[in-house]
Amino acid sequence: MTRLFHRRKALMTAASLAGLSALPGCAGARSRRHDLDADVRHIPVIRARNDRIDRITVCLRPFRAAGPRLEVEQVGRKSVVHNYGHGGSGWSLSWGTAKLAVERAAISSGQKVGVIGCGAIGLTTAIVAQQAGAQVTIYAQQTPPFVRSARASGSWTPSSRIVKTSELTPEFAARWEQMARYSFSCYQNLQGLPGNPIEWDTFYGLKSRDAQPTPPDPIGFAELGDRLRDIELQGNRVPVHDSRLPYCEVLKQPNLIFNVTTYADYLMRQFFERGGKIRTMTLHHPSELTALPDPVFINCTGYGARALWNDESIIPVRGQIAWLIPQPEALFSMEYENVYVVSRRDGIVVQWQGEDMGHGYNRTDETPNVDEARRGVSIINGLYKSMGYNV
């Protein structure tokens, strides 16, 4: 979940909804060499209405200024490998960061390993540990769909709130790139599975004609997306000259998404098929690990590590989603006037992203804000109405 994903910011200064330039009223659109291919007529229509909101969820993204914690610590006789603090990049980086964490755990075949946490990072790390030959038990207070990462927007955003520019080092940048490339390769191999847990959609980025200059980032999140330009599919940016339309520039590009409900179910089944076990429990202090049978633990507690490990370097970044009823005939993603939309098979994400990148920073409130949810839906509703649709 992120505002103006860094990956996209590198590709557009403030992009806009591509296919719309060929809607009725855009006279001469086909004759312009810079316009989109002729088969693009319009974007799918989202029925963005408040009476179609079926739930509102809030996620606290675990941001650390120095980036994710990947290091080894001893707790009594137990060895603990930390793997948390991925900001808004947890799903995107999960396979790559799991690989690094398991390597640090130096797992031997048949060894018992405990994974703490059952979210995006925990589940993936448990499977990678199993692939290394470990017998894995997950210790967690909650399992999907009740974990925080189940409330994510579900897009490939590997550099979203991952590190501060002031803390960025060449070593971290290289490690991040290693994680991102490995994760991307794993997702390439997960496409086409039943239920489409991983798939590509089309992203339409729309620059409003009334858009104000992008405000400076008050937090200073680093942008690393340029390091992946050779593997990420690039898009087409198109000016839109018809002043009757509410946007003046468009970006159309492929967008890798996670249908989180199906994907989490897939991960759970993979974990159990490999002999994994889950023990539901709440840990209050690291010393409690000494009473558990596993000699090695991998700590994947995300924002929960702030309390469990007393790690005040974790800063919550609050993100809220209004979920609309799914529309299987309209699977795509878009961004318009600081509202990000992902129409997934398991629901339509509508997220108002705030006025700047500081929105939600250091906010711990997980209570849904109904007015904020309706604001995002109203903006998208207004977009379609301005184009003549009655959604």
Side-chain angles (χ1 to χ4, degrees), residues 284-311:
H284 301 93
H285 192 271
S287 62
E288 297 174 42
L289 297 180
T290 60
L292 299 177
D294 315 88
V296 176
F297 290 88
I298 306 178
N299 175 28
C300 305
T301 46
Y303 180 68
R306 180 180 171 94
L308 177 59
W309 240 264
N310 194 29
D311 186 352

Side-chain angles (χ1 to χ4, degrees), residues 6-13 15 226 229 232-235 237 251 253:
H6 294 159
R7 175 169 72 89
R8 295 187 185 117
K9 288 177 69 180
L11 297 174
M12 65 179 185
T13 47
D226 282 349
R229 286 183 66 84
E232 292 185 333
L233 301 179
Q234 306 301 304
R237 194 187 314 171
L251 176 73
Q253 69 180 96

